[in-house]
């Protein structure tokens, strides 16, 4: 007796399995990372069709196999259509999907939260009109994904001496120490980046508010400031990632 199960999942990567079939790595709402065989998935005539493309959210029915599960039904929930015709949107979405596949695990206890964050992110990026809004979504996604994965950044206190950071102070961000360093704890040997106090408050607000919340920064933030922050967090995430990133190089060329 074969066992079936259903779940919602977003496609992250595909691998060729044979001439006709492919394996799809997905992030699911109930079980974290899962892999499923898409029979005939490499043929354009496959009954699964475009639903097995990257960055599509599906409601799935899978057949439990000894080693690999087989996708028997897929119903598209969202194809995030508008992120497919914009290079920035597509690259940042592929980058986010790599964060999910690097930090997500099988039978992930945080699967509901990660799935919902990733879904909201793709939906937002698909809908927004400006580069600044794309970057704001990326920043929120980066910060929240790190919090969920246990690598949250402390924006209230110095990571070395725990003293409260004062407004207007000259601050430094250290990837290796995992946060912000006050001027008294600055060690000459450590690689740090200067961080204006306003940037700290900006990132703190984005960390503490919901992904879909509107803050005053949604109007104030500029493309330049957002890009500085996204790059800072990209370095941070790369450092703590259990797996190597492939898309970071592509982002540097945008
Ligand atoms: Zn300190």
């Amino acid at each position: 007796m074969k066992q079936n199960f259903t779940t919602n999942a977003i496609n992250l990567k595909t691998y060729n399995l044979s001439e006709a079939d492919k394996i799809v790595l997905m992030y699911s709402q109930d079980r974290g990372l899962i892999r499923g065989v898409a029979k005939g998935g490499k043929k354009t005539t496959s009954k699964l069709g475009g639903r097995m493309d990257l960055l599509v959210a599906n409601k799935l029915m899978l057949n439990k196999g000894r080693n690999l599960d087989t996708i028997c039904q897929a119903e598209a929930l969202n194809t995030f259509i508008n992120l497919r015709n914009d290079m920035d949107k597509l690259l940042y979405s592929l980058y986010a999907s790599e964060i999910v596949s690097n930090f997500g695990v099988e039978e992930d206890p945080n699967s509901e939260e990660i799935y919902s964050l990733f879904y909201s992110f793709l939906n937002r990026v698909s809908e927004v009109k400006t580069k600044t809004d794309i970057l704001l979504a990326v920043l929120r996604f980066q910060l929240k994904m790190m919090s969920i994965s246990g690598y949250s950044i402390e924006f209230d206190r110095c990571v070395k001496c725990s003293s409260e950071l004062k407004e207007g102070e000259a601050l430094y961000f250290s990837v290796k120490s995992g946060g912000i360093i006050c001027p008294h704890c600055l060690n000459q040997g450590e690689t740090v980046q200067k961080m204006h106090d306003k940037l700290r408050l900006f990132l703190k607000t984005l960390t503490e508010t919901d992904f879909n919340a509107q803050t005053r920064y949604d109007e104030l933030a500029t493309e330049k400031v957002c890009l500085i922050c996204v790059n800072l967090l990209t370095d941070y995430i790369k450092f703590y990632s259990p797996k190597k990133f492939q898309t970071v190089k592509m982002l540097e060329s945008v």
Side-chain angles (χ1 to χ4, degrees):
M1 178 79 187
K2 279 190 173 177
Q3 247 193 321
N4 286 342
F5 67 94
T6 55
T7 186
N8 295 339
I10 301 171
N11 303 335
L12 303 174
K13 267 185 205 169
T14 62
Y15 309 89
N16 295 337
L17 180 64
S18 64
E19 206 136 308
D21 306 338
K22 62 182 181 184
I23 296 177
V24 187
L25 173 70
M26 299 165 278
Y27 196 86
S28 68
Q29 193 167 18
D30 316 295
R31 302 170 181 234
L33 287 179
I34 56 171
R35 282 172 184 77
V37 177
K39 289 258 164 74
K42 287 175 69 188
K43 295 179 185 160
T44 45
T45 53
S46 157
K47 68 183 172 97
L48 295 168
R51 281 157 289 184
M52 292 301 112
D53 288 350
L54 295 182
L55 309 171
V56 172
N58 289 300
K59 185 179 171 153
L60 299 172
M61 194 203 276
L62 294 106
N63 232 186
K64 196 106 197 79
R66 199 181 300 164
N67 298 312
L68 278 166
D69 304 335
T70 303
I71 301 164
C72 26
Q73 276 176 39
E75 182 192 318
L77 295 169
N78 200 333
T79 59
F80 310 105
I81 187 88
N82 293 321
L83 60 80
R84 290 161 209 283
N85 42 34
D86 180 304
M87 193 51 103
D88 277 337
K89 289 185 175 188
L90 187 60
L91 279 179
Y92 280 112
S93 299
L94 289 172
Y95 167 61
S97 87
E98 205 173 6
I99 298 179
V100 171
S101 71
N102 283 6
F103 286 86
V105 291
E106 288 169 25
E107 301 297 336
D108 202 330
N110 301 314
S111 66
E112 284 233 36
E113 221 182 331
I114 293 177
Y115 175 86
S116 145
L117 174 67
F118 189 36
Y119 188 101
S120 302
F121 168 80
L122 294 174
N123 203 32
R124 171 71 69 85
V125 171
S126 175
E127 281 170 7
V128 294
K129 302 271 186 272
T130 66
K131 174 101 182 242
T132 308
D133 283 338
I134 298 172
L135 292 170
L136 269 172
V138 176
L139 259 182
R140 282 200 163 93
F141 177 82
Q142 289 176 310
L143 289 164
K144 294 195 179 295
M145 196 57 204
M146 286 305 97
S147 300
I148 299 170
S149 309
Y151 297 98
S152 59
I153 303 171
E154 162 77 62
F155 288 109
D156 288 316
R157 290 171 185 282
C158 167
V159 283
K160 302 253 179 184
C161 69
S162 299
S163 68
E164 246 183 86
L165 300 167
K166 293 175 203 77
E167 246 175 78
E169 217 169 20
L171 303 171
Y172 304 87
F173 183 80
S174 161
V175 166
K176 211 175 158 198
S177 299
I180 294 168
I181 298 176
C182 79
H184 310 287
C185 296
L186 185 64
N187 168 340
Q188 295 305 324
E190 192 164 349
T191 311
V192 293
Q193 269 178 276
K194 267 199 176 160
M195 179 181 259
H196 198 286
D197 187 50
K198 281 187 175 153
L199 277 194
R200 168 178 80 89
L201 294 171
F202 171 47
L203 294 174
K204 176 175 147 75
T205 305
L206 293 187
T207 306
E208 290 170 354
T209 50
D210 269 4
F211 182 85
N212 291 308
Q214 284 283 320
T215 70
R216 64 193 195 98
Y217 291 109
D218 289 84
E219 283 175 30
L220 285 176
T222 63
E223 187 180 318
K224 193 179 161 202
V225 166
C226 288
L227 195 58
I228 291 171
C229 295
V230 165
N231 289 339
L232 198 81
L233 283 161
T234 302
D235 286 345
Y236 180 83
I237 292 170
K238 203 168 126 187
F239 184 82
Y240 291 100
S241 173
K243 296 172 203 161
K244 267 199 161 171
F245 273 92
Q246 315 286 329
T247 51
V248 170
K249 274 222 161 68
M250 291 198 288
L251 287 177
E252 284 163 1
S253 65
V254 212

